[in-house]
Amino acid sequence: MQTHQVDFKALKNKVGIDDIAFSLGYHVNRRAGIGRFVEMVLPDGRGGFKDSIVISHPSNKSLQTYFRRKDSKNGDVINFIIENGNSFGIRTNNQWDLVGKVMSKFANEPVPEKRDDYYVNHYQSRPFDPSRYKVEPLKGNEASLQYIFDQRSLNKETVERFSPFLVRLQDSHFSKPYWNIGFPYRKTGTENVEGYEIRGSKGFKMKAAGTNSSTAAWIVDFSDKQNPKEIKNVYFAESAFDIMAFYQSNRVRLEHDLDKSVFVSIGGAFSGGQINGIATHYPNARLVDCFDNDVPGRIYGMKMIAAAEGIDFKDLKIVGDGSHIKVAYKGQITTLDGNTATLKDLESIISSTKHRYGVEKAPSAFKDWNDVVMNKPLSPILTPSKYERDEDLRERRGHKI
């Protein structure tokens, strides 16, 4: 009897851990960012996660490995298939036969499951199917989902202000569909919904399958939408909760010009098409960087300028290494401090702009605006004890200790 030999090394060049994970229902955790590593999570359908894995070398299948933070388990695509052996519908008592059959199938057939939009340039995504979701206006039903907003410290006043731009939805693909919050994605100047940013209880978050994250975003326009040239400020953040928290933290000031303000969530997946379309639609507005206070958030602010100015990302390279940000433009390389750099630094590098820009990041002790309203600083803020305050007061009054 002839034995079929499986060339696992050759198959690993074609099949990555991310391919297997996507087919099992995992999706990318956008908040964790993407670079040398990408985190993928498996929703449990109840607002939590069954599993979370961190994958190295997301753009090179042959080098991909994974690990779990909770138990330090790790391995390659072969280990991951063996771990999930009962999920592929293949009957065999030989684990190597199982691995060979699964990898051969994935190597020769396109994986039909949806792809996260971080991989939009590498994979074909299913088109957005609105019939998959049961959708109702949130306006008038705010109380039904306020508990989800409460978990992010977003108060009733903020929810009521934004509720005309929100929906509640159920995903028919879940065996037990729950009502979640939907943030509809649209292109500027249109009413056609092209997807959703979705948030639920206990940190559940995802995007609707096929959401257009290339040219659409969650755009909250508080004007009468009759004349976009009258908009003064467009505020950008990485998530819907972040931009709502920015409003809540600055409500008194922002209310003065609310009818000339627009708030935007890009959903954690930066796209030049999103930014350029919005900048073009609101040509006189100041574009404001409310992105996170970390290196990726600072890079987002810089890329916001490049996209709005129509600069090709092939001509402008912005790379962060944790402590520094390097900008390569027109043959010159500029190194910036990763802890303090902002889009203002890029403005000086490209020298002239057709739009106006601003920076309104969270205070330096916080990663983002949602952490501000939740009072979750990056590290504990130590306040003086009563004794220390009394001693300081005596010193300032000229008394000796």
Side-chain angles (χ1 to χ4, degrees):
M1 181 175 65
Q2 184 178 8
T3 302
H4 177 64
Q5 300 295 323
V6 177
D7 187 344
F8 288 111
K9 183 176 180 180
L11 289 175
K12 285 177 70 174
N13 290 327
K14 297 181 178 181
V15 183
I17 297 169
D18 55 345
D19 291 316
I20 305 299
F22 274 121
S23 75
L24 296 175
Y26 288 73
H27 65 78
V28 171
N29 179 5
R30 297 173 179 82
R31 292 282 296 192
I34 187 168
R36 293 176 58 197
F37 300 91
V38 60
E39 183 177 34
M40 298 188 72
V41 293
L42 180 63
D44 61 8
R46 299 187 299 274
F49 299 121
K50 295 179 183 177
D51 189 27
S52 169
I53 60 174
V54 179
I55 301 174
S56 69
H57 302 91
S59 61
N60 189 329
K61 297 183 187 303
S62 65
L63 297 179
Q64 284 185 10
T65 59
Y66 74 97
F67 70 90
R68 291 184 177 86
R69 292 191 178 97
K70 66 178 181 180
D71 57 17
S72 299
K73 287 185 179 180
N74 61 80
D76 60 7
V77 66
I78 293 174
N79 301 112
F80 192 64
I81 291 172
I82 293 173
E83 246 188 33
N84 295 278
N86 294 327
S87 302
F88 302 103
I90 297 175
R91 294 184 178 182
T92 177
N93 294 322
N94 185 321
Q95 67 179 17
W96 297 110
D97 185 42
L98 167 71
V99 172
K101 288 179 178 178
V102 171
M103 292 187 72
S104 295
K105 176 182 178 181
F106 276 70
N108 295 316
E109 299 178 14
V111 183
E113 306 299 325
K114 67 178 182 294
R115 297 295 182 182
D116 190 276
D117 46 15
Y118 268 127
Y119 291 83
V120 71
N121 293 325
H122 303 284
Y123 303 108
Q124 293 295 319
S125 298
R126 286 183 175 181
F128 171 62
D129 178 12
S131 66
R132 169 173 167 173
Y133 303 93
K134 180 180 180 181
V135 178
E136 295 180 356
L138 188 65
K139 182 71 173 175
N141 290 307
E142 294 93 340
S144 66
L145 295 180
Q146 182 62 45
Y147 73 98
I148 298 176
F149 293 106
D150 287 343
Q151 292 169 7
R152 307 299 298 192
S153 297
L154 295 169
N155 61 38
K156 293 180 180 179
E157 291 76 15
T158 297
V159 174
E160 288 176 359
R161 175 61 80 186
F162 282 83
S163 63
F165 305 91
L166 298 168
V167 299
R168 62 178 194 163
L169 55 76
Q170 290 180 337
D171 187 341
S172 64
H173 282 208
F174 285 138
S175 58
K176 293 182 179 179
Y178 292 83
W179 284 111
N180 289 316
I181 304 163
F183 303 86
Y185 271 44
R186 296 180 173 92
K187 296 176 186 174
T188 50
T190 72
E191 294 299 320
N192 184 47
V193 175
E194 300 189 33
Y196 296 98
E197 193 173 328
I198 301 173
R199 290 297 190 112
S201 180
K202 299 179 181 178
F204 174 75
K205 56 187 175 183
M206 64 178 295
K207 276 188 181 174
T211 292
N212 175 11
S213 295
S214 297
T215 57
W218 186 51
I219 303 171
V220 178
D221 185 338
F222 282 110
S223 73
D224 58 13
K225 300 182 182 179
Q226 297 300 310
N227 189 0
K229 292 182 179 180
E230 293 184 352
I231 295 298
K232 289 185 176 180
N233 294 293
V234 179
Y235 302 98
F236 290 90
E238 295 180 33
S239 78
F241 280 170
D242 282 346
I243 202 63
M244 291 178 70
F246 167 72
Y247 164 84
Q248 182 169 307
S249 299
N250 300 276
R251 181 180 62 81
V252 174
R253 171 173 60 87
L254 294 172
E255 282 289 333
H256 291 297
D257 281 322
L258 198 65
D259 62 343
K260 294 180 176 60
S261 300
V262 174
F263 299 81
V264 177
S265 166
I266 64 170
F270 187 95
S271 167
Q274 288 175 316
I275 305 296
N276 187 265
I278 293 168
T280 301
H281 189 71
Y282 302 108
N284 299 325
R286 183 177 67 121
L287 309 181
V288 185
D289 168 9
C290 303
F291 296 119
D292 288 3
N293 245 338
D294 54 11
V295 169
R298 297 181 187 281
I299 291 175
Y300 274 11
M302 296 181 190
K303 287 187 172 182
M304 181 183 78
I305 287 186
E309 298 297 319
I311 297 174
D312 195 321
F313 286 128
K314 294 179 181 178
D315 302 323
L316 174 69
K317 302 295 183 183
I318 308 175
V319 180
D321 63 5
S323 58
H324 296 91
I325 296 173
K326 292 186 177 180
V327 180
Y329 185 60
K330 292 187 175 180
Q332 294 187 339
I333 298 178
T334 305
T335 301
L336 305 172
D337 186 333
N339 295 316
T340 60
T342 72
L343 56 77
K344 296 294 184 183
D345 294 293
L346 187 66
E347 274 193 280
S348 63
I349 292 172
I350 64 178
S351 71
S352 64
T353 61
K354 60 187 177 183
H355 294 282
R356 295 181 299 115
Y357 300 95
V359 181
E360 296 198 32
K361 290 185 179 293
S364 58
F366 299 87
K367 180 177 179 290
D368 55 46
W369 282 105
N370 198 202
D371 282 354
V372 172
V373 300
M374 295 180 70
N375 194 25
K376 288 176 56 180
L378 292 167
S379 57
I381 299 176
L382 300 179
T383 57
S385 66
K386 183 178 186 301
Y387 172 79
E388 291 170 323
R389 292 195 300 270
D390 291 343
E391 289 299 295
D392 181 63
L393 182 59
R394 278 197 290 272
E395 284 186 1
R396 285 188 280 116
R397 287 177 174 174
H399 294 283
K400 293 182 180 180
I401 298 175

